[in-house]
Amino acid sequence: MATVTLKGNPINTSGSLPAVGSTAPDFTLVKTDLSTASLSDYKGQAVVLNIFPSIDTGTCAQSVRQFNKDLNEIQDVKVLCISRDLPFAQARFCGAEGLDNVINLSDFRDNSFGKAYGLDFIDGPLEGLHSRVIIVIDENGIITHTEQVPEIVDEPNYKAAFEAL
């Protein structure tokens, strides 16, 4: 279990992030068109998992915007923006913002992703949602970087994520 804070108040997660150097657990999530996507769909490509509580909050929305912008300069990387938001909300946000470099995926169906990666909030006002986490996975499926943002209202370290690629 990890502890992060929401405006200084502690919140616990369901476990620990997978270790750097380990194989990333596969998952199946829902795309904005209601089809599914698995980590294995991106085999052979570097992947950044941008995980957050809800796309309808300022910091979460900013992380999606920032990764979308950064991808204009970097090729051969997929950024998967993952939350428990409904796919309709994810599609609405990216459509309204004109964001087309990132891929939004929802964990709303079976909630297994957050459990497998140890990042679900298990108490506090955000219980049941994902904590703010960045995981970088190389083209061989090996985790090269993780960051669980210690204060949920803060943005992740984008530079460290891209340096890990």
Side-chain angles (χ1 to χ4, degrees), residues 11-12 84 120-130:
I11 304 175
N12 296 300
R84 289 227 169 107
D120 286 342
F121 287 126
I122 59 170
D123 56 24
L126 300 178
E127 183 176 351
L129 297 177
H130 297 320

Side-chain angles (χ1 to χ4, degrees), residues 46-69:
V47 176
V48 175
L49 305 181
N50 175 31
I51 307 155
F52 49 84
S54 176
I55 203 160
D56 286 322
T57 65
T59 306
C60 301
Q62 181 55 33
S63 72
V64 175
R65 287 183 199 107
Q66 186 63 49
F67 276 115
N68 187 79
K69 178 179 174 267

